[in-house]
Amino acid sequence: MRVGVVGASGYAGAEVVRHLLRHPRVALSYLAADTMAGRELPDVYPHLRGLCSLPLEAYSVERAAAAAELVLVALPAGRSGQVAAELLERGLRVIDLSGDYRLPADVYEGWYGKPAPPAAPVPPVYGLPEVFGEFLAGARLVANPGCYPTAALLALAPALEAGLSDSDGLVVDAKSGVSGAGRAASLETHFSEVNENCRAYKVGRHQHTPEIEAVLAAVAGRPLVISFTPHLIPMTRGILVTAYAQLKPGVNAPAVLRAYELFYQGRPFVRLLPEGHWPQTKAVLGSNYCDLALHVDSRTGRLVALAAIDNLVKGAAGQAVQNLNLMAGWPEDEGLQQVPLYP
Amino acid sequence: MRVGVVGASGYAGAEVVRHLLRHPRVALSYLAADTMAGRELPDVYPHLRGLCSLPLEAYSVERAAAAAELVLVALPAGRSGQVAAELLERGLRVIDLSGDYRLPADVYEGWYGKPAPPAAPVPPVYGLPEVFGEFLAGARLVANPGCYPTAALLALAPALEAGLSDSDGLVVDAKSGVSGAGRAASLETHFSEVNENCRAYKVGRHQHTPEIEAVLAAVAGRPLVISFTPHLIPMTRGILVTAYAQLKPGVNAPAVLRAYELFYQGRPFVRLLPEGHWPQTKAVLGSNYCDLALHVDSRTGRLVALAAIDNLVKGAAGQAVQNLNLMAGWPEDEGLQQVPLYP
Amino acid sequence: MRVGVVGASGYAGAEVVRHLLRHPRVALSYLAADTMAGRELPDVYPHLRGLCSLPLEAYSVERAAAAAELVLVALPAGRSGQVAAELLERGLRVIDLSGDYRLPADVYEGWYGKPAPPAAPVPPVYGLPEVFGEFLAGARLVANPGCYPTAALLALAPALEAGLSDSDGLVVDAKSGVSGAGRAASLETHFSEVNENCRAYKVGRHQHTPEIEAVLAAVAGRPLVISFTPHLIPMTRGILVTAYAQLKPGVNAPAVLRAYELFYQGRPFVRLLPEGHWPQTKAVLGSNYCDLALHVDSRTGRLVALAAIDNLVKGAAGQAVQNLNLMAGWPEDEGLQQVPLYP
Amino acid sequence: MRVGVVGASGYAGAEVVRHLLRHPRVALSYLAADTMAGRELPDVYPHLRGLCSLPLEAYSVERAAAAAELVLVALPAGRSGQVAAELLERGLRVIDLSGDYRLPADVYEGWYGKPAPPAAPVPPVYGLPEVFGEFLAGARLVANPGCYPTAALLALAPALEAGLSDSDGLVVDAKSGVSGAGRAASLETHFSEVNENCRAYKVGRHQHTPEIEAVLAAVAGRPLVISFTPHLIPMTRGILVTAYAQLKPGVNAPAVLRAYELFYQGRPFVRLLPEGHWPQTKAVLGSNYCDLALHVDSRTGRLVALAAIDNLVKGAAGQAVQNLNLMAGWPEDEGLQQVPLYP
């Protein structure tokens, strides 16, 4: 399949390129970028020297439509949806890595603080394969989940779907590496400001909050709100989510474990850790895995669910490739079999 | 005042030395260590070369009693309390930086998994000056708080004391630098294992849990339990605590802010940040400050309180010096006026 | 081919495992370890959970001989050579990742400060394919180069072979990540001691010095000495070597560039960067590449050659797989086509 | 003494503020900044909250002259010299932390690639107290040395002054933390690009090269050139210089040691480490120390001299305060007695 990437000079876009260069069923056929258009890819990303001879073009819908059957769009929110809509209208299939098609327009505008993109010409499928995998085969537009929602949802969805928690008082406390903020230079991503530092940001108002809430509400079967606090920690890649949920009376550890095992049965990328092991971001580095562990605390009647992902892989590019595989009817893990890099 | 340090070769002990070398009212008169006894201090801690000519002695109660009026003990739990008790019996005043005198014996044994130290010959005062400052002037034995409890208590105590939260469903999610684990070499503190990594540990069973609960219960006036999850993040110093508390109906942001302002009025080391600013560990690095900020979330009815400290200063050695000052009747910030190191 | 790994629980051994698990022509058939024998591999290395079901056995020559045709030995110097000799005597082919068969016995003993291992039953080939590739096809014992020598030799060998430098006054200044020190816990690898720190070690007496000198002397055709200074910097993986060589009068930049281009023509893993680009360790992370750049300084008449590798890949496990490929007559880059991980 | 800082919002300027806030003989009386003018200092630098109530003014020579007797100027090269000249003409004394008055105009223009600033109305003194301390007492304009030159010169000056090296073939290989690049956001200082990365930059053309050469030539008594390679490593603060110099025949280790001991006798900030110890940047963190060690290599006839400093303290702000003390006739270490922060 001829596949294109628009927004190839951002971190998520470059990760898509890294994956597709080694994908056995994909021919990478089109690369577009905004600010970096016209430059050679290896001059922008030194790790790709000698590995990719495609030029970084300025985006044009005609060129994209001529070169590719399916396009992954990894542009900033606002712009990404516009490009996705254009490509869909030309008959291409699209995976959009931005937040543009993950929320209803009114919710989007409230949390993103900008106008929602035009309604997509086809209904988007939310591309979290472990929850919505059955809807991906026929999808023409996939909204690839955010990095925080991916980890938070994999941590909490089984408990809520199984009705083990009463869905009040959910807390999602997330710790993220800096690459999630993208490649644009800013004081917030300056090495000297981030290194040896830990801080929260957008407390109570991060735009991934309603995305998490909407999917949890869908699996729980009723509306809910969460407290979500993202934190920046001094590492490049990785997200660890620590999620807290009040369990219903009488729900014990074996029942919780059983619900998670059932939920993730046959899913190649979720590794439920044995007792006594806790997820760590380094154990999934560079891979599409999500490592999960559960603690049922009898003192507080609470479930603590921990999930670790590589924010640029399972949290972005790897999940997009996983969605691509499912859209194309290929094995879910095609091109995604890299062993994590440790240490 | 002639002051000694037992356990001077650990990180907390070395930080006590750093502070006391520049304290205008203290003569550092005695240094003892266990494994490092007999070595020159600068051969163990290169930053102290040229700054301290005291030998690192093997501990003896006689030598300590001859050399010092007050001793700070920074040994591992179990051993620290024994030394503290001995010194007290010789008439010295003691600040114990371990957990040995912070909990009732039965609670201690349940969480620490070892026998409690002998009962102290005098009742210990819990040395969190912002909460128990009034009891320190006459104290002979001060139990210096743990690093996590310091940050967690400063984040939550005002809300609970003022009765703003109903004390159910408290969550304390903490992120710590690696120096909190001490200087002993282990796989858990190996650079290659910690760097570019984030993980939780001792989920639901960290020994600081009952210490936090006991003090919060004391200020709230009723028993309570918390969910406490400590995380290790790739930095050397610093703790950020993100604490979540359900607010009572009708409690709004101004009421919360007022309670905290009142609570910390006149306290030199707590900096309540203005709206729109969040604590970061780098802003307190090397200093005794605790930076605090509050978010009242009307969607969830919840308070999110964030606190940042340097775990080796306000979370250990600096707080011990603050306690020393109060025990001696000196200004609270004597010898603690270092400007944080940034970046 | 059935291949075994002895010393699979060290960092180099685990990297061999990572590579061989995805090698299309290799069946990983035997894993042995010393201190970790008897444990499950994923309990020792969490990134391998679900990826490898072989047990970590205590090493036995019989088991190894029964299970494998070729064995990679990644044990500490001293022990590694003994195991290699045993396996050779049983008719297996061996790649030894230690320093045991890289030096003449007397030189070894002088620099390693311990007895040399028994003479190998067959002559070892020094496994730097870009220099000695032609000797690998028939080799039964390959001495896999050290991490520093790999980077230093790739930086300097072409200039010396081409007679462009007079070989006096060579300086090799190397900066290494911490994983090169292995997984054993020590104060030297403690996160809090290494993070935010830079220091040299073993100045003038690192055991890789004679290894670099011997190979450079071989390509230059005369004896020589170098100044080699290794440094530890706060990162996990990567070596950057900055090498300085006085050029013979009249040697200019184009002549130098030509010599390097010629030397590395057709070698898949050396990337000679275009002018204006300098190697960086991040651009080769997780891959078998060596990125190289050259500066001819007309003010000083000196060549500055810079080389970046991943110390655990091109500096250890990846190079071992490259050697394995050449020993077996397979394409040099089989199983080594991972794209570097960036950022 | 009333002292002002122009360029207070850069890292060097903020470090000057940190030092002067606690300096017993200085009243910080004027702060100016360019891009940050009009903002509150604690909103720009969170560590200073509660510690400094001076506004960040837009620079005006009148305001500066009214408010201060001496001004430290820490603006970018090009702009800094202009401000320094203006202030001098108004009769103030000036310490210029930029490179504007460290080089002859023609050399400056060749290496900085921009027009030299106007000639200073008074001759500048190069403010490296350990070399030119005697000239500082009467100085009206001090050119504060660059961070790399400070470490390189302290490493090599004694050997060259004593005539122990023949001054050919000098190599200065420097490793620096990222804060040396200032606070401006750029791809080069982006956390995700710098973390887990090591690279050289400006190879053979860094503007500090002629500054090092000029001072070494002055102490050696003849012209010389050096090979200088700066490297960026993933830490915030600190420079380690590894310098290589060919020794004259017959010069041995005791002779070298004696020369250095003599040179630094009575200098409070240079710590010559005993044999077997190597400088590390962490041992000087936050302090004005320079830690030095020497290796005389009999195999190569070469001296390897290693120096560690905190680039923002001894490499910038601390050295400026040291110069201020000497200009004012105060003890050299007034306000500079902070114990380094370790770990």
Side-chain angles (χ1 to χ4, degrees):
Chain A
M1 186 191 286
R2 291 172 305 126
V3 176
V5 182
V6 178
S9 65
Y11 283 149
E15 273 293 89
V16 172
V17 171
R18 175 172 79 91
H19 281 87
L20 295 185
L21 283 172
R22 293 290 181 259
H23 194 292
R25 309 198 190 214
V26 164
L28 191 57
S29 59
Y30 177 68
L31 295 182
D34 271 359
T35 49
M36 297 293 175
R39 296 187 60 183
E40 302 272 323
L41 193 55
D43 290 347
V44 177
Y45 279 106
H47 66 305
L48 296 177
R49 187 163 301 281
L51 296 174
C52 181
S53 55
L54 284 178
L56 273 178
E57 307 182 23
Y59 165 74
S60 108
V61 66
E62 286 77 20
R63 275 285 302 131
E69 302 160 58
L70 184 152
V71 173
L72 296 102
V73 186
L75 293 169
R79 171 111 175 96
S80 208
Q82 292 170 350
V83 169
E86 266 186 11
L87 293 166
L88 286 163
E89 272 153 20
R90 298 292 285 250
L92 281 78
R93 298 174 84 180
V94 172
I95 300 171
D96 179 17
L97 283 83
S98 82
D100 279 356
Y101 290 118
R102 299 184 204 144
L103 296 174
D106 57 334
V107 178
Y108 179 95
E109 297 188 347
W111 288 86
Y112 281 76
K114 58 173 111 180
V122 296
V125 174
Y126 188 75
L128 188 61
E130 290 77 10
V131 179
F132 301 108
E134 65 207 287
F135 303 105
L136 288 162
R140 289 198 46 225
L141 169 60
V142 168
N144 210 59
C147 51
Y148 289 123
T150 295
L153 294 170
L154 294 176
L156 286 175
L160 289 172
E161 201 212 39
L164 305 177
S165 164
D166 60 12
S167 87
D168 286 340
L170 294 168
V171 170
V172 174
D173 190 285
K175 299 88 182 163
S176 175
V178 182
S179 62
R183 207 185 197 197
S186 70
L187 192 59
E188 282 70 33
T189 59
H190 192 299
F191 182 87
S192 302
E193 304 282 321
V194 172
N195 187 38
E196 279 289 289
N197 201 1
C198 176
R199 62 180 180 86
Y201 67 104
K202 292 191 183 179
V203 180
R205 59 182 186 81
H206 193 282
Q207 68 275 13
H208 285 173
T209 310
E211 185 180 335
I212 300 170
E213 289 175 348
V215 178
L216 289 182
V219 299
R222 66 191 147 159
L224 53 79
V225 292
I226 64 167
S227 287
F228 170 53
T229 314
H231 299 78
L232 209 60
I233 65 174
M235 63 184 196
T236 301
R237 285 174 180 243
I239 284 178
L240 185 76
V241 154
T242 312
Y244 304 83
Q246 204 63 39
L247 291 170
K248 287 183 182 160
V251 175
N252 59 14
V256 170
L257 184 58
R258 214 155 39 233
Y260 278 75
E261 284 174 344
L262 199 64
F263 196 95
Y264 290 120
Q265 199 165 28
R267 312 304 321 195
F269 293 118
V270 175
R271 302 193 292 196
L272 208 47
L273 305 187
E275 214 186 318
H277 294 259
W278 302 112
Q280 40 186 316
T281 58
K282 193 186 272 289
V284 298
L285 180 69
S287 82
N288 203 46
Y289 289 112
C290 172
D291 280 2
L292 256 186
L294 307 165
H295 173 70
V296 172
D297 188 344
S298 57
R299 296 170 65 250
T300 58
R302 204 176 269 151
L303 167 67
V304 184
L306 296 117
I309 61 170
D310 182 323
N311 58 305
L312 292 179
V313 188
K314 183 61 178 167
Q319 184 143 272
V321 173
Q322 189 181 356
N323 283 321
L324 166 62
N325 289 337
L326 293 169
M327 290 166 82
W330 302 329
E332 192 169 350
D333 63 349
E334 197 82 309
L336 289 169
Q337 289 149 353
Q338 302 92 333
V339 179
L341 195 67
Y342 189 100
Chain B
M1 186 191 287
R2 291 172 305 125
V3 176
V5 182
V6 178
S9 66
Y11 283 148
E15 272 292 88
V16 172
V17 171
R18 174 172 78 93
H19 281 87
L20 295 185
L21 283 173
R22 293 290 180 261
H23 194 293
R25 307 197 191 216
V26 164
L28 192 57
S29 58
Y30 177 69
L31 295 183
D34 272 357
T35 50
M36 298 292 174
R39 296 186 60 183
E40 302 272 324
L41 193 56
D43 289 347
V44 176
Y45 280 107
H47 66 304
L48 297 177
R49 186 162 302 281
L51 296 174
C52 180
S53 56
L54 283 178
L56 273 178
E57 307 183 22
Y59 165 73
S60 109
V61 66
E62 287 78 18
R63 275 286 301 132
E69 302 159 59
L70 184 152
V71 173
L72 296 102
V73 186
L75 292 169
R79 172 111 175 94
S80 209
Q82 291 170 351
V83 169
E86 267 187 9
L87 294 166
L88 285 162
E89 272 153 22
R90 299 292 285 250
L92 281 77
R93 299 174 84 181
V94 172
I95 301 171
D96 179 16
L97 282 83
S98 83
D100 279 356
Y101 290 119
R102 299 183 204 144
L103 296 173
D106 57 334
V107 178
Y108 180 96
E109 297 187 346
W111 288 85
Y112 280 77
K114 58 172 111 179
V122 297
V125 175
Y126 188 75
L128 188 61
E130 289 77 8
V131 178
F132 301 107
E134 65 207 286
F135 304 105
L136 288 162
R140 289 198 46 225
L141 169 60
V142 168
N144 210 58
C147 51
Y148 289 124
T150 296
L153 294 170
L154 294 176
L156 286 174
L160 289 172
E161 201 212 38
L164 304 177
S165 163
D166 59 12
S167 86
D168 286 339
L170 293 169
V171 170
V172 173
D173 190 284
K175 298 89 185 163
S176 175
V178 182
S179 62
R183 206 185 197 196
S186 70
L187 192 59
E188 284 68 34
T189 59
H190 192 300
F191 183 87
S192 303
E193 305 281 321
V194 172
N195 187 39
E196 278 290 291
N197 201 2
C198 176
R199 62 180 181 86
Y201 67 103
K202 293 193 182 177
V203 180
R205 59 184 187 79
H206 193 283
Q207 69 275 10
H208 285 172
T209 309
E211 185 180 335
I212 300 169
E213 289 175 348
V215 179
L216 289 183
V219 300
R222 66 190 146 162
L224 53 78
V225 292
I226 64 166
S227 288
F228 170 52
T229 314
H231 300 78
L232 209 60
I233 65 174
M235 63 184 196
T236 301
R237 286 174 180 242
I239 284 179
L240 185 77
V241 155
T242 312
Y244 302 83
Q246 203 63 38
L247 291 170
K248 287 183 183 160
V251 174
N252 59 14
V256 170
L257 183 59
R258 213 155 40 233
Y260 277 76
E261 285 174 344
L262 199 63
F263 196 96
Y264 291 119
Q265 199 164 30
R267 313 303 322 194
F269 293 118
V270 175
R271 302 192 292 195
L272 209 47
L273 305 187
E275 213 187 318
H277 294 259
W278 303 112
Q280 40 186 316
T281 59
K282 192 185 273 290
V284 299
L285 180 68
S287 83
N288 203 46
Y289 288 112
C290 173
D291 279 2
L292 257 185
L294 307 165
H295 173 70
V296 172
D297 188 344
S298 56
R299 296 172 63 249
T300 58
R302 205 176 269 149
L303 167 67
V304 185
L306 296 117
I309 61 170
D310 183 322
N311 58 306
L312 292 179
V313 188
K314 183 61 178 166
Q319 185 144 271
V321 174
Q322 189 182 355
N323 283 321
L324 166 62
N325 288 336
L326 293 169
M327 289 166 82
W330 302 329
E332 191 169 350
D333 63 348
E334 196 82 308
L336 289 169
Q337 290 149 353
Q338 302 92 331
V339 180
L341 195 65
Y342 189 101
Chain C
M1 186 190 289
R2 290 172 306 126
V3 176
V5 182
V6 178
S9 67
Y11 284 149
E15 272 293 88
V16 172
V17 171
R18 174 173 78 92
H19 280 87
L20 295 185
L21 283 173
R22 293 289 181 261
H23 194 292
R25 308 198 191 213
V26 164
L28 192 58
S29 59
Y30 177 69
L31 295 181
D34 273 358
T35 50
M36 297 293 174
R39 297 186 60 184
E40 302 272 323
L41 193 55
D43 289 347
V44 176
Y45 279 107
H47 66 303
L48 297 177
R49 186 163 301 282
L51 295 174
C52 180
S53 55
L54 284 178
L56 272 179
E57 306 183 23
Y59 165 73
S60 109
V61 67
E62 286 78 19
R63 276 285 302 132
E69 303 158 58
L70 184 151
V71 173
L72 296 103
V73 187
L75 293 169
R79 172 111 175 93
S80 209
Q82 292 171 350
V83 169
E86 266 186 11
L87 293 167
L88 286 163
E89 272 153 22
R90 298 292 285 252
L92 281 77
R93 299 175 83 181
V94 172
I95 300 170
D96 179 16
L97 282 83
S98 83
D100 279 356
Y101 290 119
R102 300 183 204 146
L103 296 173
D106 57 335
V107 178
Y108 180 96
E109 297 188 347
W111 288 86
Y112 280 77
K114 58 174 111 182
V122 297
V125 175
Y126 187 77
L128 189 61
E130 289 78 10
V131 179
F132 300 106
E134 65 207 286
F135 303 106
L136 288 162
R140 287 196 48 223
L141 169 60
V142 168
N144 210 59
C147 51
Y148 288 123
T150 296
L153 293 170
L154 294 176
L156 286 174
L160 289 172
E161 202 213 37
L164 304 177
S165 164
D166 60 12
S167 87
D168 287 339
L170 294 168
V171 170
V172 174
D173 190 285
K175 299 88 183 160
S176 175
V178 182
S179 62
R183 206 184 197 197
S186 71
L187 193 59
E188 283 69 34
T189 59
H190 192 299
F191 182 87
S192 303
E193 304 282 322
V194 171
N195 187 38
E196 278 290 290
N197 201 2
C198 176
R199 60 179 181 86
Y201 67 103
K202 294 192 182 177
V203 180
R205 59 182 187 80
H206 193 282
Q207 68 276 12
H208 285 172
T209 310
E211 184 179 334
I212 300 169
E213 289 176 347
V215 179
L216 289 183
V219 299
R222 66 189 146 161
L224 52 79
V225 292
I226 64 167
S227 288
F228 170 53
T229 313
H231 299 78
L232 209 60
I233 65 174
M235 63 185 195
T236 301
R237 287 176 179 240
I239 285 178
L240 185 77
V241 155
T242 313
Y244 303 83
Q246 204 63 38
L247 291 170
K248 287 185 183 159
V251 174
N252 60 13
V256 171
L257 184 58
R258 216 156 37 233
Y260 277 75
E261 285 175 343
L262 199 63
F263 195 96
Y264 291 120
Q265 199 165 28
R267 312 303 323 194
F269 293 118
V270 175
R271 300 193 293 195
L272 208 47
L273 305 188
E275 213 186 318
H277 293 259
W278 302 112
Q280 42 186 316
T281 58
K282 192 185 271 289
V284 299
L285 180 69
S287 82
N288 203 46
Y289 288 111
C290 173
D291 280 1
L292 257 186
L294 308 166
H295 174 69
V296 172
D297 189 344
S298 56
R299 297 172 63 249
T300 58
R302 205 175 268 150
L303 168 67
V304 185
L306 296 119
I309 61 170
D310 183 322
N311 58 306
L312 291 179
V313 188
K314 183 61 177 167
Q319 185 144 270
V321 173
Q322 189 182 355
N323 284 320
L324 167 62
N325 289 337
L326 293 170
M327 290 166 82
W330 302 330
E332 192 169 349
D333 63 348
E334 196 83 308
L336 289 169
Q337 289 149 352
Q338 301 91 332
V339 180
L341 196 65
Y342 189 101
Chain D
M1 187 190 287
R2 292 172 304 126
V3 175
V5 182
V6 177
S9 66
Y11 282 149
E15 273 293 88
V16 171
V17 170
R18 175 172 78 93
H19 281 87
L20 296 186
L21 283 173
R22 293 290 180 259
H23 194 292
R25 307 198 191 214
V26 164
L28 191 58
S29 59
Y30 177 69
L31 295 181
D34 272 359
T35 50
M36 298 293 174
R39 296 186 60 183
E40 302 273 322
L41 193 55
D43 290 347
V44 176
Y45 279 107
H47 66 303
L48 297 176
R49 187 163 302 280
L51 296 174
C52 180
S53 55
L54 283 178
L56 273 179
E57 306 183 22
Y59 165 74
S60 109
V61 66
E62 286 78 20
R63 275 285 301 132
E69 302 158 59
L70 184 152
V71 173
L72 296 102
V73 186
L75 292 170
R79 172 110 175 95
S80 209
Q82 292 171 350
V83 168
E86 267 185 10
L87 294 166
L88 286 163
E89 271 154 22
R90 299 291 285 251
L92 280 77
R93 299 175 83 180
V94 172
I95 300 172
D96 179 17
L97 282 84
S98 82
D100 279 356
Y101 290 118
R102 301 183 202 144
L103 296 173
D106 57 334
V107 178
Y108 181 97
E109 297 188 345
W111 288 85
Y112 280 77
K114 58 173 110 179
V122 297
V125 174
Y126 188 76
L128 188 62
E130 289 77 10
V131 179
F132 301 107
E134 65 206 286
F135 304 105
L136 288 161
R140 289 196 46 223
L141 169 61
V142 168
N144 210 59
C147 51
Y148 288 124
T150 296
L153 294 170
L154 294 176
L156 286 174
L160 289 172
E161 202 213 38
L164 304 176
S165 164
D166 60 12
S167 85
D168 287 340
L170 294 168
V171 170
V172 174
D173 190 285
K175 298 87 183 161
S176 175
V178 181
S179 62
R183 205 184 198 196
S186 70
L187 193 59
E188 284 69 34
T189 59
H190 191 299
F191 182 87
S192 302
E193 305 282 321
V194 171
N195 186 39
E196 279 288 290
N197 202 1
C198 177
R199 61 180 181 85
Y201 66 104
K202 292 192 183 178
V203 180
R205 58 183 188 79
H206 193 282
Q207 68 276 10
H208 285 172
T209 310
E211 185 179 336
I212 301 170
E213 288 176 348
V215 179
L216 288 183
V219 299
R222 63 187 148 165
L224 52 79
V225 291
I226 64 166
S227 287
F228 170 53
T229 313
H231 299 78
L232 208 61
I233 65 174
M235 62 186 196
T236 302
R237 286 175 180 242
I239 284 179
L240 185 77
V241 155
T242 312
Y244 303 84
Q246 203 63 38
L247 291 169
K248 287 185 183 159
V251 175
N252 59 13
V256 170
L257 184 58
R258 215 156 36 235
Y260 278 75
E261 285 174 344
L262 199 63
F263 196 95
Y264 290 119
Q265 201 164 27
R267 313 303 323 194
F269 293 118
V270 176
R271 302 192 292 196
L272 209 47
L273 305 187
E275 213 187 317
H277 293 260
W278 303 112
Q280 42 186 313
T281 58
K282 192 185 272 289
V284 299
L285 180 68
S287 83
N288 203 46
Y289 289 111
C290 173
D291 279 3
L292 256 185
L294 307 166
H295 174 70
V296 172
D297 188 344
S298 56
R299 297 171 63 250
T300 57
R302 205 176 268 149
L303 168 66
V304 184
L306 295 118
I309 61 169
D310 182 323
N311 59 306
L312 292 179
V313 188
K314 184 61 177 166
Q319 184 144 273
V321 173
Q322 189 181 355
N323 283 321
L324 166 62
N325 289 337
L326 293 169
M327 290 167 81
W330 302 330
E332 190 169 349
D333 63 348
E334 197 82 308
L336 289 169
Q337 290 148 353
Q338 301 93 331
V339 179
L341 195 67
Y342 189 102

